[in-house]
């Protein structure tokens, strides 16, 4: 299957409210349309995760990130620009996303992906895509396709073909919490 066809099928699945497994700029992810509350609820169920624990969303660009946060602090752009590895930023003032994706304090975790497959997926979908590690909550994240539990493969609506043969170490992104008042908290390095 070509990457083009793989992305087309993943997008069609998400547009129909489905859940996908896909390669990201970090580990393999469980994804869906970040604006669809029913699809987000499916991700929480598949992951067996309490919906009070927020999920990360991937976007393809600075402009798309700004679509989902009322005011992005300057320090966020500085951190994103100088990050050498994938960086997820938790920002206040989330907007335009499924309500069950936004934390109780109104924040959202977003990451701009530069990995070719996930970047093109986000670009062509034209919306934020949920990106939570492909594992049952509390289990190790799937670094590669071969690490994904059969239970997850059976639970989703589409499993991407791209990068399935890859066998190399991957790790989750760093996570930094940025508040409007300028406070910075490192959640995960």
């Amino acid at each position: 299957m070509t990457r083009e066809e793989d992305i087309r099928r993943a997008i069609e699945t998400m547009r129909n409210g489905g859940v996908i497994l896909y390669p990201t700029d970090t580990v393999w992810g469980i994804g869906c349309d970040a604006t669809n509350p029913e699809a987000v609820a499916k991700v929480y169920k598949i992951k067996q995760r309490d919906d009070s624990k927020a999920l990360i969303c991937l976007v393809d660009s600075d402009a798309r990130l700004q679509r989902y946060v009322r005011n992005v602090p300057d320090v966020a752009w500085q951190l994103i620009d100088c990050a050498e590895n994938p960086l997820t930023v938790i920002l206040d003032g989330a907007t335009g996303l499924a309500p069950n994706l936004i934390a109780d304090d109104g924040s959202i975790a977003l990451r701009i992906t530069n990995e070719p497959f996930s970047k093109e997926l986000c670009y062509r979908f034209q919306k934020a895509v949920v990106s939570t590690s492909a594992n049952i909550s509390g289990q190790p994240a799937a670094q590669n396709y071969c690490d994904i539990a059969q239970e997850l493969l059976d639970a989703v609506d589409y499993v991407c073909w791209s990068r399935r043969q890859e066998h190399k170490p991957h790790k989750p992104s760093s996570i930094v919490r940025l508040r409007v008042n300028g406070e910075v908290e490192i959640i995960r390095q």
Side-chain angles (χ1 to χ4, degrees):
M1 175 181 300
T2 66
R3 186 169 86 170
E4 174 78 18
E5 177 66 12
D6 199 15
I7 287 172
R8 189 190 65 70
R9 288 184 181 187
I11 288 170
E12 184 178 312
T13 300
M14 290 189 294
R15 284 193 178 133
N16 290 322
V19 175
I20 65 170
L21 278 170
Y22 68 112
T24 76
D25 54 339
T26 59
V27 297
W28 270 70
I30 302 172
C32 70
D33 177 351
T35 67
N36 181 329
E38 291 81 16
V40 171
K42 287 182 197 175
V43 171
Y44 279 114
K45 184 176 180 185
I46 289 168
K47 211 168 155 64
Q48 298 173 29
R49 183 172 180 164
D50 184 348
D51 65 6
S52 67
K53 294 185 177 183
L55 302 173
I56 294 171
C57 296
L58 284 188
V59 293
D60 64 307
S61 65
D62 295 359
R64 190 109 40 227
L65 185 141
Q66 290 179 86
R67 180 187 293 178
Y68 299 113
V69 178
R70 286 185 186 87
N71 294 303
V72 180
D74 289 339
V75 67
W77 300 122
Q78 293 166 5
L79 288 169
I80 290 167
D81 288 345
C82 73
E84 294 179 10
N85 296 310
L87 174 68
T88 299
V89 290
I90 300 173
L91 301 167
D92 292 326
T95 185
L97 295 164
N100 53 342
L101 194 56
I102 299 170
D104 290 342
D105 65 3
S107 66
I108 189 68
L110 293 162
R111 184 168 73 250
I112 300 170
T113 180
N114 289 310
E115 181 274 327
F117 182 86
S118 56
K119 187 174 186 77
E120 186 175 347
L121 177 71
C122 291
Y123 173 75
R124 294 207 13 228
F125 189 54
Q126 295 287 297
K127 295 181 187 178
V129 176
V130 167
S131 181
T132 184
S133 57
N135 61 308
I136 301 298
S137 195
Q139 299 294 314
Q143 294 184 35
N144 296 288
Y145 172 78
C146 62
D147 302 321
I148 301 171
Q150 189 63 47
E151 178 180 2
L152 291 180
L153 294 170
D154 295 341
V156 300
D157 302 297
Y158 182 72
V159 181
C160 291
W161 287 90
S162 298
R163 292 179 45 204
R164 282 194 187 186
Q165 301 307 314
E166 191 173 270
H167 294 282
K168 63 182 191 178
H170 294 279
K171 65 178 194 168
S173 68
S174 298
I175 301 176
V176 176
R177 172 76 163 98
L178 304 172
R179 299 203 183 272
V180 176
N181 67 3
E183 182 183 321
V184 177
E185 178 187 1
I186 297 171
I187 306 291
R188 181 172 69 200
Q189 285 189 308

